[in-house]
Amino acid sequence: LSVYRRGLHAQGVQMVPDGPSSIVEFVRPKAARPRVADALRRWQRAYMRGVSSDSPLGEFLHRPLSVHLAGTVFVHGGLAEELLDRELPHSPSAPVRPLDS
């Protein structure tokens, strides 16, 4: 997208249909902006229905992405690098082992 190529995302351009920061402000010709804004509103409504907590995908997304069981961290997608040096929370009965052991 030209938004990323032009670095507009770093300038606060948002994927919203209205307002001064709206990506719709960059649509040319200007006469097409109302149609693009309506399409963006429809897309956003459909997206929110798809990821709402009462949809199958939404139920999955609202589940915990990690769990610490028996001294082992189970994650979906890995751990952020800055977390690797942190000490994991643990109970007195469960010794903590380094992640690479």
Side-chain angles (χ1 to χ4, degrees), residues 5 7 9 16 21-22 27 32 34 38 45 61 65 69 81 84 86 92-93 95 99 101:
R5 188 179 73 236
H9 62 290
V16 294
S21 299
S22 170
V27 170
D38 286 341
R45 282 192 301 269
L61 292 173
L65 297 178
L69 295 171
E81 195 169 320
L84 297 178
R86 288 190 183 176
S93 62
L99 292 175
S101 67

Side-chain angles (χ1 to χ4, degrees), residues 10-55:
Q11 297 175 28
V13 174
Q14 300 175 347
M15 290 295 289
V16 294
D18 304 296
S21 299
S22 170
I23 194 169
V24 176
E25 293 299 311
F26 295 90
V27 170
R28 302 287 186 263
K30 285 185 175 184
R33 291 180 184 176
R35 201 171 66 228
V36 171
D38 286 341
L40 182 54
R41 282 186 203 94
R42 285 192 311 273
W43 177 85
Q44 288 176 330
R45 282 192 301 269
Y47 176 83
M48 292 309 292
R49 279 193 308 270
V51 297
S52 69
S53 59
D54 59 348
S55 73

